[in-house]
Amino acid sequence: RFRILVIGRANSGKTTVLQAVCGTDRKPEVYDEDGDRLCAAPSPPSSVRGEHYIEYQLIFPGKNGFVFHDSRGFEAGAVDERDIAQRFIDERATRVSLHERIHAIWYCFSADTNRFHTELDFFEKINTGDGCYCNPSIAIFTKFDGLDAEVYMELCDEGVPSDKAFADAHSCADEKFDQTCLHLVRSQKYLPSGEVHLRSKSYLCDAMSKLVEKAVNSLNSKVLLQILVSVQQNTVEIS
């Protein structure tokens, strides 16, 4: 199995991304650190979440070889949550068994907000790329549809014909996002290995292929590369 730590605030689109990667619309089954299945996904209060919850393993039903860990992002008590994630990454990096290590980190940002302060803190403070236990990180920017709609309205207000504004909205939204937000991520000390923009479900399949391709290109281990290629279901060309 290919093991991924997924970080992101609530409502950042993480579940949609993981379902698309695993080719399902069902909820994940939850297992504790020992591999015992829990009857229901726990919803611990903010005061106790994090430390034990990040150890839980999320596995989506069906024929896929992914295991996910969810950090729940750095919303409340950002320093504590960040430290929990750091300890988890460091501890998993030294596991003897390859299948117990974290093989990649996916950080989900919601593109419909510019409040990236705690997310930027992750890429400034947590080094995931040094040494032989490299955990390549991918920055996943979700909910681009809202930004597309905003840019479409701005173009219409500037007098651009509706059909042209609609056709140009995607590229203009990408450019606006690069200028206002993406440069902040790229200015941090520890850069993500790749970036992916995600829009509505009609574009999700293509985006998932790009995400898997970014993940494949970020790996420096032939063993992990073979594992990821064997479990991914999005891109025939990669297989």
Side-chain angles (χ1 to χ4, degrees):
R1 292 184 180 274
F2 194 82
R3 190 177 298 272
I4 301 172
L5 171 61
V6 183
I7 305 176
R9 302 187 188 192
N11 300 316
S12 63
K14 291 184 294 183
T15 300
T16 301
V17 171
L18 303 188
Q19 287 174 329
V21 168
C22 295
T24 182
D25 57 1
R26 299 171 64 185
K27 293 183 178 180
E29 297 171 349
V30 183
Y31 297 81
D32 64 18
E33 186 178 6
D34 297 323
D36 296 323
R37 183 178 175 183
L38 303 178
C39 294
S43 299
S46 59
S47 59
V48 297
R49 77 178 185 203
E51 190 78 56
H52 68 286
Y53 194 91
I54 198 173
E55 293 286 352
Y56 292 155
Q57 305 173 83
L58 308 181
I59 300 176
F60 286 84
K63 296 181 180 179
N64 70 82
F66 288 102
V67 177
F68 301 102
H69 294 264
D70 183 5
S71 88
R72 297 299 182 97
F74 309 142
E75 296 173 272
V79 175
D80 291 340
E81 293 287 341
R82 189 192 70 217
D83 289 347
I84 290 170
Q86 178 70 81
R87 287 196 297 272
F88 178 74
I89 293 170
D90 291 344
E91 192 276 328
R92 285 281 176 167
T94 58
R95 292 282 180 101
V96 175
S97 298
L98 178 64
H99 75 276
E100 292 182 348
R101 297 179 193 164
I102 292 296
H103 306 138
I105 300 171
W106 292 355
Y107 205 126
C108 290
F109 297 73
S110 181
D112 60 1
T113 178
N114 58 4
R115 296 181 294 106
F116 286 168
H117 301 297
T118 53
E119 288 86 348
L120 296 177
D121 192 49
F122 174 86
F123 290 105
E124 177 63 27
K125 302 291 179 56
I126 297 183
N127 182 6
T128 64
D130 282 351
C132 58
Y133 301 113
C134 176
N135 298 294
S137 60
I138 306 294
I140 305 173
F141 300 99
T142 63
K143 299 187 177 182
F144 254 81
D145 301 81
L147 190 58
D148 290 341
E150 179 183 319
V151 170
Y152 168 77
M153 295 301 298
E154 291 175 355
L155 292 173
C156 289
D157 290 342
E158 294 171 2
V160 178
S162 178
D163 56 345
K164 180 170 176 51
F166 183 81
D168 294 344
H170 283 192
S171 59
C172 291
D174 288 341
E175 183 178 351
K176 179 178 180 179
F177 186 76
D178 288 356
Q179 294 174 350
T180 59
C181 299
L182 190 54
H183 75 283
L184 297 175
V185 177
R186 291 173 175 169
S187 66
Q188 302 309 305
K189 186 175 182 180
Y190 303 111
L191 299 179
S193 304
E195 305 152 359
V196 179
H197 295 180
L198 300 185
R199 289 180 163 88
S200 65
K201 289 186 177 181
S202 60
Y203 301 98
L204 204 52
C205 182
D206 179 58
M208 287 303 101
S209 296
K210 292 180 180 178
L211 172 57
V212 172
E213 184 178 352
K214 296 275 188 182
V216 166
N217 291 336
S218 68
L219 294 173
N220 62 359
S221 164
K222 290 184 178 180
V223 175
L224 290 182
L225 181 62
Q226 290 177 335
I227 295 174
L228 177 56
V229 168
S230 68
V231 302
Q232 69 88 27
Q233 304 177 24
N234 295 92
T235 307
V236 175
E237 288 80 3
I238 289 179
S239 295

